[in-house]
């Protein structure tokens, strides 16, 4: 079903640790508008799309969201890699460290664990596609917020790439939504 290339969709090479930014970026890993929620949403919704075109689109975008999850994970790992315990504590990540050390764990920026309530699937293609368009817009907005908070070009580059992919996903979902509306689904 999938072909995995052992490279990131967008190269990540962060040269300077930034524990505060890692804490913020983790929301796109396990937060309500993050990549894990998007991937699970689309890979679950694909089964109830009324045709192969819809199933293929949700499979493609859901799979790409997994690739985005990998980009975010790499960024967080690189930002935390050489952080001292003092830096981790100062960033408010002591409780994360206590449970997970430097391992990735799906949470939002406040440390609230991922929950399946972050995504919806109704079985109604029109409702689900509207949900997906909103999800892509929210993810785009979060990436813009993160870019505003970032100063390092090594961080801004991947975030800008991911933001642009959210725009493309929104457009693909909107096209399918319009087609399904015209067909009366």
């Amino acid at each position: 079903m999938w072909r995995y290339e052992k490279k990131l969709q967008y190269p990540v090479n962060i040269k300077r640790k930034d524990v505060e930014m890692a804490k913020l970026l983790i929301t796109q890993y396990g937060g309500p508008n993050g990549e894990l929620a998007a991937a699970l949403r689309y890979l679950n919704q694909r089964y109830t799309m009324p045709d192969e075109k819809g199933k293929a689109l949700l499979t493609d975008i859901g799979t790409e969201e997994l690739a985005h999850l990998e980009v975010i994970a790499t960024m967080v790992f690189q930002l935390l890699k050489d952080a001292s315990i003092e830096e981790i504590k100062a960033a408010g990540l002591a409780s994360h460290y206590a449970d997970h050390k430097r391992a990735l764990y799906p949470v939002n920026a406040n440390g609230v664990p991922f929950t399946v309530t972050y995504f919806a699937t109704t079985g109604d293609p029109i409702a689900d596609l509207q949900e997906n368009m909103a999800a892509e817009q929210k993810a785009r907005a979060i990436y813009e917020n993160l870019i505003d908070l970032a100063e390092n070009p090594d961080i801004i580059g991947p975030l800008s790439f991911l933001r642009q992919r959210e725009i493309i996903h929104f457009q693909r979902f909107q096209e399918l939504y319009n087609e399904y509306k015209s067909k009366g689904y």
Side-chain angles (χ1 to χ4, degrees), residues 27-175:
T27 200
Q28 285 304 86
Y29 190 76
N33 302 305
E35 304 296 350
L36 179 59
L40 293 174
R41 175 185 301 112
Y42 308 150
L43 293 174
N44 280 292
Q45 289 176 355
R46 67 186 171 161
Y47 293 103
T48 56
M49 287 293 120
D51 60 21
E52 291 304 312
K53 182 178 181 177
K55 290 175 185 172
L57 181 69
L58 272 89
T59 300
D60 290 348
I61 295 176
T63 302
E64 185 176 342
E65 299 292 2
L66 291 172
H68 297 173
L69 190 69
E70 190 175 30
V71 170
I72 293 294
T74 301
M75 293 177 75
V76 171
F77 175 79
Q78 288 180 9
L79 289 165
L80 288 176
K81 186 176 167 192
D82 297 320
S84 68
I85 296 298
E86 291 76 26
E87 291 168 318
I88 288 170
K89 287 178 182 178
L93 290 172
S95 59
H96 179 91
Y97 186 87
D99 285 337
H100 312 290
K101 205 167 187 177
R102 287 181 176 82
L104 285 150
Y105 187 76
V107 296
N108 70 13
N110 294 313
V112 176
F114 179 83
T115 172
V116 295
T117 60
Y118 287 165
F119 67 91
T121 182
T122 67
D124 179 298
I126 297 300
D128 285 349
L129 289 169
Q130 284 183 319
E131 164 79 16
N132 298 349
M133 289 186 292
E136 293 297 327
Q137 291 290 50
K138 288 185 274 186
R140 176 201 46 80
I142 299 298
Y143 280 121
E144 289 172 1
N145 296 343
L146 290 168
I147 290 166
D148 289 344
L149 293 167
E151 297 173 3
N152 183 342
D154 294 341
I155 296 169
I156 294 170
L159 293 178
S160 296
F161 169 80
L162 293 168
R163 176 198 171 276
Q164 186 60 32
R165 294 309 301 159
E166 304 302 344
I167 293 168
I168 299 299
H169 294 169
F170 173 85
Q171 292 169 343
R172 297 295 84 80
F173 284 135
Q174 187 175 44
E175 291 164 2

